Short mmCIF file of all heavy atoms in Angstrom, two decimals:
data_model
loop_
_atom_site.label_atom_id
_atom_site.label_comp_id
_atom_site.label_asym_id
_atom_site.label_seq_id
_atom_site.Cartn_x
_atom_site.Cartn_y
_atom_site.Cartn_z
N LEU A 1 0.83 -1.20 0.00
CA LEU A 1 0.00 0.00 0.00
C LEU A 1 0.86 1.25 0.00
O LEU A 1 0.60 2.22 -0.71
CB LEU A 1 -0.92 -0.01 1.22
CG LEU A 1 -1.84 1.22 1.39
CD1 LEU A 1 -2.76 1.36 0.18
CD2 LEU A 1 -2.65 1.08 2.68
N ALA A 2 1.93 1.23 0.81
CA ALA A 2 2.82 2.38 0.88
C ALA A 2 3.47 2.64 -0.47
O ALA A 2 3.59 3.79 -0.93
CB ALA A 2 3.89 2.16 1.95
N LEU A 3 3.92 1.56 -1.13
CA LEU A 3 4.55 1.72 -2.44
C LEU A 3 3.56 2.27 -3.46
O LEU A 3 3.90 3.11 -4.29
CB LEU A 3 5.11 0.38 -2.91
CG LEU A 3 6.33 -0.15 -2.14
CD1 LEU A 3 6.66 -1.57 -2.57
CD2 LEU A 3 7.53 0.77 -2.36
N ALA A 4 2.31 1.78 -3.39
CA ALA A 4 1.29 2.26 -4.32
C ALA A 4 0.99 3.73 -4.10
O ALA A 4 0.86 4.52 -5.05
CB ALA A 4 0.02 1.42 -4.17
N LEU A 5 0.85 4.13 -2.82
CA LEU A 5 0.58 5.53 -2.52
C LEU A 5 1.75 6.41 -2.94
O LEU A 5 1.56 7.51 -3.47
CB LEU A 5 0.32 5.69 -1.01
CG LEU A 5 -1.02 5.18 -0.50
CD1 LEU A 5 -1.08 5.24 1.02
CD2 LEU A 5 -2.17 5.98 -1.11
N GLY A 6 2.97 5.91 -2.71
CA GLY A 6 4.14 6.68 -3.10
C GLY A 6 4.18 6.89 -4.60
O GLY A 6 4.49 7.98 -5.08
N ALA A 7 3.86 5.85 -5.35
CA ALA A 7 3.85 5.97 -6.81
C ALA A 7 2.78 6.96 -7.27
O ALA A 7 3.00 7.77 -8.17
CB ALA A 7 3.62 4.60 -7.43
N ALA A 8 1.61 6.89 -6.62
CA ALA A 8 0.53 7.80 -7.00
C ALA A 8 0.90 9.25 -6.70
O ALA A 8 0.68 10.15 -7.52
CB ALA A 8 -0.75 7.42 -6.26
N LEU A 9 1.48 9.49 -5.52
CA LEU A 9 1.87 10.85 -5.16
C LEU A 9 2.95 11.37 -6.09
O LEU A 9 2.96 12.53 -6.47
CB LEU A 9 2.35 10.88 -3.70
CG LEU A 9 1.26 10.70 -2.65
CD1 LEU A 9 1.88 10.57 -1.26
CD2 LEU A 9 0.28 11.87 -2.68
N ALA A 10 3.88 10.50 -6.45
CA ALA A 10 4.95 10.91 -7.36
C ALA A 10 4.38 11.29 -8.72
O ALA A 10 4.88 12.18 -9.40
CB ALA A 10 5.98 9.79 -7.50
N PHE A 11 3.30 10.58 -9.13
CA PHE A 11 2.71 10.85 -10.44
C PHE A 11 1.93 12.16 -10.44
O PHE A 11 2.02 12.95 -11.36
CB PHE A 11 1.78 9.70 -10.83
CG PHE A 11 1.13 9.90 -12.17
CD1 PHE A 11 1.83 9.61 -13.34
CD2 PHE A 11 -0.17 10.36 -12.25
CE1 PHE A 11 1.23 9.79 -14.58
CE2 PHE A 11 -0.77 10.55 -13.49
CZ PHE A 11 -0.07 10.27 -14.65
N PHE A 12 1.16 12.38 -9.35
CA PHE A 12 0.28 13.54 -9.32
C PHE A 12 0.95 14.79 -8.76
O PHE A 12 0.43 15.89 -8.93
CB PHE A 12 -0.98 13.23 -8.50
CG PHE A 12 -1.91 12.27 -9.19
CD1 PHE A 12 -2.04 10.97 -8.75
CD2 PHE A 12 -2.64 12.68 -10.29
CE1 PHE A 12 -2.90 10.08 -9.39
CE2 PHE A 12 -3.50 11.80 -10.94
CZ PHE A 12 -3.62 10.50 -10.48
N ALA A 13 2.06 14.67 -8.03
CA ALA A 13 2.71 15.84 -7.44
C ALA A 13 3.20 16.77 -8.54
O ALA A 13 3.69 16.33 -9.57
CB ALA A 13 3.90 15.41 -6.58
N PRO A 14 3.03 18.09 -8.35
CA PRO A 14 3.48 19.03 -9.38
C PRO A 14 4.99 19.00 -9.52
O PRO A 14 5.72 18.94 -8.54
CB PRO A 14 3.00 20.40 -8.83
CG PRO A 14 2.85 20.19 -7.36
CD PRO A 14 2.42 18.76 -7.19
N ARG A 15 5.44 19.01 -10.77
CA ARG A 15 6.87 19.04 -11.01
C ARG A 15 7.41 20.44 -10.73
O ARG A 15 6.71 21.43 -10.97
CB ARG A 15 7.16 18.67 -12.47
CG ARG A 15 6.67 17.27 -12.86
CD ARG A 15 7.42 16.18 -12.08
NE ARG A 15 7.12 14.86 -12.61
CZ ARG A 15 6.16 14.09 -12.17
NH1 ARG A 15 5.35 14.52 -11.23
NH2 ARG A 15 5.98 12.89 -12.68
N PRO A 16 8.63 20.54 -10.20
CA PRO A 16 9.21 21.87 -9.97
C PRO A 16 9.30 22.65 -11.27
O PRO A 16 9.75 22.14 -12.29
CB PRO A 16 10.62 21.54 -9.43
CG PRO A 16 10.52 20.15 -8.90
CD PRO A 16 9.52 19.46 -9.78
N ILE A 17 8.83 23.88 -11.25
CA ILE A 17 8.94 24.74 -12.42
C ILE A 17 9.57 26.05 -11.99
O ILE A 17 9.64 26.37 -10.81
CB ILE A 17 7.56 25.00 -13.07
CG1 ILE A 17 6.60 25.62 -12.04
CG2 ILE A 17 6.97 23.74 -13.65
CD1 ILE A 17 5.26 26.00 -12.63
N GLU A 18 10.01 26.82 -12.96
CA GLU A 18 10.78 28.02 -12.67
C GLU A 18 10.02 28.99 -11.78
O GLU A 18 10.58 29.62 -10.89
CB GLU A 18 11.16 28.70 -13.99
CG GLU A 18 12.29 29.68 -13.86
CD GLU A 18 12.83 30.07 -15.22
OE1 GLU A 18 13.74 29.40 -15.72
OE2 GLU A 18 12.33 31.06 -15.78
N SER A 19 8.70 29.12 -11.99
CA SER A 19 7.92 30.07 -11.20
C SER A 19 7.86 29.68 -9.74
O SER A 19 7.52 30.50 -8.89
CB SER A 19 6.51 30.20 -11.78
OG SER A 19 5.82 28.96 -11.68
N GLN A 20 8.17 28.41 -9.44
CA GLN A 20 8.12 27.99 -8.05
C GLN A 20 9.36 28.41 -7.27
O GLN A 20 9.53 28.04 -6.12
CB GLN A 20 7.94 26.47 -7.98
CG GLN A 20 6.56 26.02 -8.43
CD GLN A 20 6.40 24.52 -8.41
OE1 GLN A 20 7.36 23.77 -8.56
NE2 GLN A 20 5.18 24.05 -8.20
N ALA A 21 10.26 29.17 -7.90
CA ALA A 21 11.39 29.74 -7.17
C ALA A 21 10.87 30.65 -6.06
O ALA A 21 11.53 30.82 -5.04
CB ALA A 21 12.30 30.52 -8.12
N LEU A 22 9.68 31.20 -6.26
CA LEU A 22 9.04 32.05 -5.27
C LEU A 22 7.73 31.43 -4.81
O LEU A 22 7.06 30.74 -5.57
CB LEU A 22 8.73 33.44 -5.84
CG LEU A 22 9.88 34.44 -5.95
CD1 LEU A 22 10.79 34.09 -7.10
CD2 LEU A 22 9.30 35.84 -6.14
N GLU A 23 7.38 31.71 -3.58
CA GLU A 23 6.08 31.31 -3.05
C GLU A 23 5.23 32.57 -2.91
O GLU A 23 5.49 33.40 -2.04
CB GLU A 23 6.23 30.63 -1.70
CG GLU A 23 4.91 30.24 -1.06
CD GLU A 23 5.04 29.78 0.38
OE1 GLU A 23 6.18 29.58 0.83
OE2 GLU A 23 4.00 29.65 1.05
N TRP A 24 4.26 32.72 -3.78
CA TRP A 24 3.36 33.87 -3.71
C TRP A 24 2.16 33.54 -2.83
O TRP A 24 1.59 32.47 -2.94
CB TRP A 24 2.88 34.27 -5.11
CG TRP A 24 3.97 34.76 -6.02
CD1 TRP A 24 4.53 34.08 -7.05
CD2 TRP A 24 4.62 36.03 -5.97
NE1 TRP A 24 5.49 34.85 -7.66
CE2 TRP A 24 5.57 36.05 -7.02
CE3 TRP A 24 4.50 37.14 -5.14
CZ2 TRP A 24 6.39 37.14 -7.27
CZ3 TRP A 24 5.32 38.24 -5.38
CH2 TRP A 24 6.25 38.23 -6.43
N LEU A 25 1.77 34.46 -1.98
CA LEU A 25 0.61 34.26 -1.13
C LEU A 25 -0.66 34.38 -1.97
O LEU A 25 -0.80 35.31 -2.77
CB LEU A 25 0.58 35.28 0.00
CG LEU A 25 1.36 34.95 1.28
CD1 LEU A 25 2.86 34.88 1.00
CD2 LEU A 25 1.07 35.98 2.36
N GLU A 26 -1.59 33.47 -1.77
CA GLU A 26 -2.86 33.55 -2.48
C GLU A 26 -3.65 34.78 -2.04
O GLU A 26 -4.33 35.41 -2.84
CB GLU A 26 -3.68 32.29 -2.23
CG GLU A 26 -3.09 31.03 -2.87
CD GLU A 26 -4.00 29.83 -2.69
OE1 GLU A 26 -5.10 30.00 -2.12
OE2 GLU A 26 -3.60 28.73 -3.10
N SER A 27 -3.53 35.12 -0.75
CA SER A 27 -4.21 36.30 -0.22
C SER A 27 -3.17 37.21 0.43
O SER A 27 -2.68 36.90 1.53
CB SER A 27 -5.27 35.90 0.82
OG SER A 27 -6.25 35.06 0.25
N PRO A 28 -2.79 38.30 -0.23
CA PRO A 28 -1.81 39.22 0.36
C PRO A 28 -2.24 39.69 1.74
O PRO A 28 -3.44 39.89 1.99
CB PRO A 28 -1.77 40.38 -0.65
CG PRO A 28 -2.21 39.76 -1.94
CD PRO A 28 -3.24 38.74 -1.56
N ARG A 29 -1.27 39.86 2.63
CA ARG A 29 -1.57 40.29 4.00
C ARG A 29 -0.97 41.67 4.25
O ARG A 29 0.21 41.90 4.01
CB ARG A 29 -1.00 39.28 5.00
CG ARG A 29 -1.54 37.88 4.84
CD ARG A 29 -1.38 37.09 6.13
NE ARG A 29 -0.01 36.97 6.57
CZ ARG A 29 0.75 35.88 6.36
NH1 ARG A 29 0.25 34.85 5.69
NH2 ARG A 29 1.98 35.82 6.81
N LYS A 30 -1.78 42.57 4.75
CA LYS A 30 -1.32 43.92 5.07
C LYS A 30 -0.31 43.87 6.21
O LYS A 30 -0.56 43.23 7.24
CB LYS A 30 -2.51 44.80 5.47
CG LYS A 30 -2.16 46.27 5.57
CD LYS A 30 -1.96 46.86 4.19
CE LYS A 30 -1.72 48.37 4.25
NZ LYS A 30 -1.47 48.94 2.90
N VAL A 31 0.83 44.51 6.01
CA VAL A 31 1.83 44.58 7.08
C VAL A 31 1.38 45.63 8.08
O VAL A 31 1.19 46.80 7.72
CB VAL A 31 3.22 44.94 6.52
CG1 VAL A 31 4.24 45.08 7.65
CG2 VAL A 31 3.68 43.88 5.52
N PRO A 32 1.16 45.26 9.34
CA PRO A 32 0.68 46.24 10.33
C PRO A 32 1.75 47.30 10.62
O PRO A 32 2.92 47.15 10.24
CB PRO A 32 0.40 45.38 11.57
CG PRO A 32 1.27 44.18 11.40
CD PRO A 32 1.34 43.92 9.92
N GLY A 33 1.32 48.34 11.29
CA GLY A 33 2.24 49.44 11.60
C GLY A 33 3.46 48.98 12.38
O GLY A 33 3.36 48.17 13.30
N PHE A 34 4.62 49.48 12.00
CA PHE A 34 5.85 49.18 12.72
C PHE A 34 6.73 50.42 12.72
O PHE A 34 6.56 51.32 11.91
CB PHE A 34 6.60 47.99 12.08
CG PHE A 34 7.12 48.26 10.69
CD1 PHE A 34 8.37 48.83 10.49
CD2 PHE A 34 6.37 47.94 9.58
CE1 PHE A 34 8.85 49.08 9.21
CE2 PHE A 34 6.84 48.18 8.29
CZ PHE A 34 8.09 48.76 8.11
N ARG A 35 7.67 50.45 13.62
CA ARG A 35 8.62 51.56 13.69
C ARG A 35 9.99 51.02 14.10
O ARG A 35 10.20 50.67 15.27
CB ARG A 35 8.16 52.62 14.68
CG ARG A 35 9.07 53.86 14.73
CD ARG A 35 8.59 54.87 15.77
NE ARG A 35 9.46 56.01 15.88
CZ ARG A 35 9.38 57.11 15.12
NH1 ARG A 35 8.44 57.19 14.20
NH2 ARG A 35 10.22 58.11 15.29
N LEU A 36 10.88 50.94 13.14
CA LEU A 36 12.25 50.51 13.39
C LEU A 36 13.17 51.72 13.26
O LEU A 36 12.71 52.85 13.10
CB LEU A 36 12.63 49.41 12.40
CG LEU A 36 11.72 48.17 12.40
CD1 LEU A 36 12.15 47.19 11.32
CD2 LEU A 36 11.72 47.50 13.77
#
């Protein structure tokens, strides 16, 4: 079962592509007030 699941995940997992060099947030988050 483990081997079968591993094979399935390997087949369906997204292949690394150039755009994945960055992780973009689906919902941008406002940076709260800060003072440095």
Side-chain angles (χ1 to χ4, degrees):
L1 178 60
L3 290 172
L5 286 173
L9 289 173
F11 180 80
F12 289 107
R15 300 295 190 268
I17 57 176
E18 198 167 271
S19 63
Q20 290 178 331
L22 281 75
E23 177 190 351
W24 295 106
L25 274 64
E26 292 185 4
S27 300
R29 301 202 300 261
K30 190 73 175 177
V31 177
F34 65 88
R35 184 182 177 87
L36 303 176

